[in-house]
């Protein structure tokens, strides 16, 4: 069989195996003779029981032995010769021998096995049977589909040769070195994932990227493309869809990828019903993934969100305005309430006065505004117009009485304490005494409500005694402003409304606007 090349310049057989060496055919009729060079002995023809013999052009070792290692030559008439070096390797069970002297099997994935009958092929050095769909045996060949660099190595094919009833192992090993410039791999789309749902926004642009693995090294016959509802984007007469220039790169181990981007300039409603299919193809076959679009969750919720936020803002605004209104018109509201639900059922609480008024006593002889306020304005509004009964020192308590005990008794008989805050009051020791009793009384014993009228701007309240600071923190002060001096006589001015609001209920539901 001419197509089986059994003759090597160098042969590395395994000890104990069958070996056949073929002499080149110089001419059909010529008889050749095999010699062993070192001994110069002719290899005889086969006889009964002979181990090394020649049959025509073939030199047989059935089986090989370590001592067969040596140089052999075949010659027709000693003018033409062919030398073969034989190196018999000792047999090690389960081990495939390796030899650098074997000719390399290079190329596109076909390794010829130097036999006619291939029974089993092993991949060395692991000596494992070839596994996987990429390897298959046919006749004397091992085929490697799409060979890559990691396929490089020793391939041993092993078979059994039976000669006159004797069974011999035969194995032969080839080095395989891939010489592929490029080779396809089954196309595999890296992204997107099949059936992926991609979020989109109506009217917005969208880029869909598709990346696929296509082979080893740059593939001349491969593509990654997009279809919209099974129509290639390239053939779509639609300016909204455009395929971007292909982008390709070689990754690890020369693995070749291509990426194609589908540009959608403006997402329309109908796109949400479309199938966007990425197809990756090479010489092997093609694979595809399909993605669809859906409105972005945020976009879907955008309108309700906006409404919600708007509603919240409106509500907050309303609350803020209500609070402001209430702050501004709290007095009016309370007074209105009192007016509507005229509370006639006032219990007798044993008090005589509605309020005890604490104010800084003027020791100078000239009149000042605070005294005018205490003696004129306040009684006019609260007593004459609104019907309250006040206890004012100097008017209701006369000097000469036992001031301290009198003050204390009157305060206990008062429902409110009105304290006029002025710079003088803060710094006066005498007033501080009054204040102290009053506040102690109000805060600790009776729980009498205190009304603070800030007659002059106090500024920081840090100079005030702690109990006053506490009350200010709790309820604030009612500020007498310059504007009130214009119409101080109106009980419906903001200042007097605030004061009335903090005053106890009266039998009179409202204050008369006119002077009695
Ligand atoms: C066989 O011949 C080669 C050179 O052709 C030589 O180097 C080698 O030593 C020879 N082997 C034996 C066993 O004589
Ligand atoms: C050897 O070769 C010569 C010519 O090269 C030829 O004439 C002769 O017949 C050959 N001898 C044998 C035994 O084949
Ligand atoms: C084979 O070896 C012999 C002896 O070493 C040498 O004379 C002869 O030229 C060699 N033949 C070839 C073809 O190399
Ligand atoms: C076989 O492969 C080795 C390793 O790549 C290389 O060095 C050698 O030249 C090759 N031999 C032949 C005959 O191609
Ligand atoms: C052939 O090789 C196998 C292992 O590969 C071994 O089990 C068997 O004994 C060998 N047969 C002969 C005749 O050496
Ligand atoms: C999209 O694909 C689905 C499932 O493959 C199919 O049922 C549907 O008809 C396709 N839609 C269009 C517009 O081609
Ligand atoms: C695709 O869209 C990107 C921006 O999303 C843009 O930079 C690019 O130029 C577009 N390509 C084509 C071919 O329209």
């Amino acid at each position: 069989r001419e197509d089986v090349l059994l003759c090597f310049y160098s042969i590395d057989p395994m000890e104990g195996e069958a070996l056949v060496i073929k002499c080149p055919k110089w001419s059909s009729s010529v008889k050749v003779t095999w010699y062993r060079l070192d001994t110069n002995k002719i290899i005889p023809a086969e006889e009964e029981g002979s181990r090394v013999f020649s049959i025509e052009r073939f030199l047989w070792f059935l089986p090989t032995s370590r001592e067969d290692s040596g140089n052999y030559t075949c010659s027709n008439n000693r003018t033409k010769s062919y030398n073969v070096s034989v190196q018999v390797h000792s047999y090690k069970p389960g081990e495939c021998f390796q030899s650098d002297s074997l000719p390399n099997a290079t190329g596109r994935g076909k390794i010829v096995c130097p036999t006619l009958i291939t029974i089993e092929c092993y991949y060395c050095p692991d000596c494992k049977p070839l596994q996987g769909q990429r390897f298959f045996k046919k006749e004397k060949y091992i085929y490697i589909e799409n060979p890559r660099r990691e396929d490089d190595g020793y391939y041993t094919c092993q078979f059994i040769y039976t000669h006159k009833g004797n069974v011999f192992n035969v194995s032969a090993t080839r080095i395989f070195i891939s010489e592929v410039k490029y080779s396809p791999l089954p196309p595999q789309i890296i992204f997107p994932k099949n059936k992926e749902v991609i979020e989109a926004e109506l009217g917005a642009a969208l880029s869909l990227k598709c990346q696929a693995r296509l082979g080893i090294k740059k593939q001349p016959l491969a593509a990654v493309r997009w279809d919209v509802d099974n129509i290639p984007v390239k053939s779509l007469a639609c300016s909204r869809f455009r395929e971007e220039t292909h982008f390709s790169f070689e990754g690890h181990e020369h693995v070749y990828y291509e990426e194609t981007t589908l540009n959608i300039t403006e997402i329309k409603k109908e796109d949400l019903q479309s199938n966007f299919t990425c197809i990756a193809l090479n010489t092997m076959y093609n694979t595809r993934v399909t993605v669809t679009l859906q409105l972005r969750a945020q976009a879907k919720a955008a309108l309700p969100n906006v409404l919600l936020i708007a509603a919240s803002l409106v509500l907050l605004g309303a609350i803020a305005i209500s609070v402001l209104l209430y702050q501004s018109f709290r007095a009016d509201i309370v007074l209105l309430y009192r007016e509507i639900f005229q509370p006639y059922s006032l219990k007798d609480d044993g008090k005589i006065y509605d309020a005890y008024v604490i104010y800084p006593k003027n020791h100078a002889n000239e009149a000042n505004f605070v005294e005018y306020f205490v003696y004129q304005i306040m009684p006019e509004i609260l007593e004459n117009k609104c019907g309250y009964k006040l206890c004012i020192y100097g008017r209701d308590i006369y000097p000469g009485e036992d001031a301290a005990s009198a003050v204390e008794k009157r305060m206990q008989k008062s429902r409110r304490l009105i304290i006029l805050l002025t710079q003088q009051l803060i710094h006066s020791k005498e007033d501080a005494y009054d204040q102290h009793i009053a506040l102690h009384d109000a805060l600790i014993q009776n729980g009498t409500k205190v009304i603070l009228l800030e007659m002059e701007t106090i500024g920081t309240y840090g100079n005030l005694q702690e109990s006053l600071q506490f009350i200010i923190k709790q309820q604030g002060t009612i500020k007498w402003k310059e504007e009130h001096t214009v119409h101080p006589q109106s009980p419906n001015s903001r200042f007097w409304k605030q004061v009335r609001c903090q005053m106890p209920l009266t039998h009179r539901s409202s204050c008369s606007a006119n002077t009695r």
Side-chain angles (χ1 to χ4, degrees):
R1 297 290 294 265
E2 291 308 308
D3 55 342
V4 182
L5 186 71
L6 283 174
C7 299
F8 307 120
Y9 286 99
S10 174
I11 292 170
D12 295 73
M14 190 77 88
E15 177 188 13
E17 291 191 346
L19 175 67
V20 182
I21 301 173
K22 184 170 78 174
C23 191
K25 196 176 175 183
W26 290 294
S27 79
S28 55
S29 58
V30 176
K31 256 189 87 181
V32 296
T33 313
W34 278 99
Y35 299 88
R36 180 164 176 160
L37 275 176
D38 45 351
T39 58
N40 218 17
K41 277 189 178 166
I42 292 172
I43 310 291
E46 189 187 14
E47 284 169 33
E48 189 62 39
S50 60
R51 193 177 62 82
V52 181
F53 54 91
S54 64
I55 306 173
E56 296 178 352
R57 291 192 295 126
F58 300 93
L59 173 64
W60 292 83
F61 300 84
L62 287 177
T64 53
S65 163
R66 290 296 301 275
E67 63 259 29
D68 295 333
S69 294
N71 290 327
Y72 296 83
T73 187
C74 68
S75 167
N76 52 359
N77 58 11
R78 292 185 183 269
T79 57
K80 267 193 185 255
S81 65
Y82 169 72
N83 294 344
V84 178
S85 174
V86 174
Q87 184 64 48
V88 179
H89 294 261
S90 53
Y91 173 73
K92 286 175 192 152
E95 228 181 64
C96 296
F97 72 90
Q98 294 168 28
S99 169
D100 291 333
S101 57
L102 291 172
N104 297 338
T106 56
R108 303 293 309 274
K110 188 168 107 175
I111 304 171
V112 64
C113 202
T115 90
L116 290 175
I117 316 139
T118 301
I119 288 166
E120 195 68 65
C121 281
Y122 290 97
Y123 175 61
C124 285
D126 291 338
C127 227
K128 297 268 168 60
L130 287 177
Q131 273 173 348
Q133 295 173 322
R134 291 176 51 244
F135 302 98
F136 62 94
K137 293 164 287 184
K138 197 183 173 200
E139 297 175 345
K140 62 195 176 208
Y141 299 107
I142 307 164
Y143 290 91
I144 306 173
E145 211 175 82
N146 312 308
R148 357 186 222 269
R149 202 158 292 275
E150 62 257 37
D151 295 330
D152 291 1
Y154 296 95
Y155 287 79
T156 298
C157 85
Q158 193 176 63
F159 62 98
I160 290 165
Y161 178 75
T162 306
H163 184 79
K164 293 184 175 168
N166 294 320
V167 177
F168 300 96
N169 279 341
V170 181
S171 64
T173 299
R174 290 285 182 280
I175 292 175
F176 176 77
I177 294 153
S178 57
E179 274 189 351
V180 282
K181 283 200 183 71
Y182 59 86
S183 62
L185 290 175
Q188 184 194 346
I189 292 172
I190 311 297
F191 58 78
K193 296 271 166 286
N194 196 26
K195 292 179 180 163
E196 197 175 317
V197 177
I198 290 161
E199 295 194 325
E201 250 175 272
L202 286 181
L206 184 70
S207 287
L208 296 176
K209 280 186 178 175
C210 180
Q211 192 181 92
R213 184 201 72 174
L214 293 163
I216 304 294
K217 295 189 177 171
K218 188 169 167 56
Q219 304 292 302
L221 288 167
V224 174
R225 67 152 216 253
W226 281 96
D227 281 10
V228 178
D229 289 334
N230 300 321
I231 301 166
V233 166
K234 273 198 181 122
S235 66
L236 270 179
C238 170
S239 57
R240 281 199 301 125
F241 303 112
R242 198 170 294 164
E243 254 180 18
E244 261 197 77
T245 335
H246 302 277
F247 162 70
S248 64
F249 63 97
E250 267 182 36
H252 184 62
E253 300 272 331
H254 299 285
V255 176
Y256 177 78
Y257 298 87
E258 270 189 25
E259 193 179 296
T260 299
T261 305
L262 170 64
N263 258 20
I264 309 172
T265 55
E266 186 192 349
I267 299 287
K268 294 204 167 165
K269 231 177 177 178
E270 65 239 42
D271 299 337
L272 305 175
Q273 265 72 53
S274 290
N275 291 331
F276 295 87
T277 305
C278 173
I279 298 148
L281 59 151
N282 62 12
T283 50
M284 296 179 76
Y285 55 84
N286 68 64
T287 184
R288 56 188 63 209
V289 301
T290 296
V291 299
T292 51
L293 305 184
Q294 80 167 20
L295 282 184
R296 184 163 298 167
Q298 283 174 334
K300 263 188 189 170
L303 198 62
N305 271 350
V306 163
L307 286 177
L308 197 66
I309 289 164
S312 306
L313 286 176
V314 165
L315 193 66
L316 281 174
I319 289 168
I321 288 165
S322 305
V323 167
L324 282 176
L325 283 176
Y326 178 71
Q327 295 285 19
S328 307
F329 301 105
R330 188 175 52 153
D332 301 75
I333 293 164
V334 171
L335 295 175
L336 185 68
Y337 171 86
R338 287 185 186 169
E339 208 170 302
I340 294 167
F341 304 97
Q342 297 175 5
Y344 286 112
S345 57
L346 281 175
K347 278 183 233 160
D348 181 13
D349 53 3
K351 310 260 175 176
I352 302 163
Y353 304 102
D354 287 304
Y356 180 93
V357 182
I358 297 173
Y359 65 99
K361 288 171 194 91
N362 184 21
H363 297 290
N365 285 325
E366 46 189 287
N368 68 2
F369 175 72
V370 170
E371 282 191 339
Y372 173 70
F373 179 84
V374 170
Y375 292 126
Q376 298 295 322
I377 300 174
M378 209 152 79
E380 172 65 23
I381 305 283
L382 293 180
E383 292 185 325
N384 296 346
K385 288 185 177 160
C386 299
Y388 289 112
K389 198 173 178 201
L390 303 174
C391 181
I392 301 170
Y393 182 87
R395 188 193 71 171
D396 304 300
I397 301 171
Y398 301 105
E401 287 183 44
D402 181 356
S405 73
V407 165
E408 199 177 333
K409 274 180 198 157
R410 305 287 164 90
M411 275 185 183
Q412 282 171 357
K413 295 278 177 193
S414 299
R415 298 187 179 94
R416 296 284 187 274
L417 289 172
I418 295 178
I419 302 174
L420 276 70
L421 292 174
T422 67
Q423 295 291 344
Q424 196 199 332
L425 186 89
I426 292 165
H427 302 296
S428 157
K429 281 203 165 171
E430 198 182 336
D431 300 329
Y433 172 69
D434 268 9
Q435 276 181 67
H436 182 79
I437 304 168
L439 290 171
H440 183 265
D441 194 30
L443 287 168
I444 294 165
Q445 291 188 349
N446 292 349
T448 307
K449 195 171 175 184
V450 177
I451 301 170
L452 295 172
L453 305 184
E454 198 174 326
M455 302 311 293
E456 296 165 9
T457 303
I458 304 297
T460 58
Y461 300 110
N463 290 331
L464 299 170
Q465 49 175 291
E466 276 179 30
S467 48
L468 268 182
Q469 287 185 34
F470 176 78
I471 295 168
I472 292 170
K473 227 183 229 172
Q474 295 277 302
Q475 63 186 58
T477 61
I478 299 170
K479 291 177 182 67
W480 177 264
K481 285 179 188 152
E482 290 304 311
E483 62 195 86
H484 293 125
T485 58
V486 182
H487 301 291
Q489 261 75 1
S490 166
N492 290 323
S493 73
R494 194 180 143 91
F495 177 83
W496 286 116
K497 273 187 179 171
Q498 284 179 291
V499 174
R500 286 164 55 203
C501 183
Q502 295 201 15
M503 289 296 283
L505 295 171
T506 57
H507 292 286
R508 217 188 281 181
S509 61
S510 65
C511 305
S512 57
N514 301 317
T515 312
R516 178 181 50 185

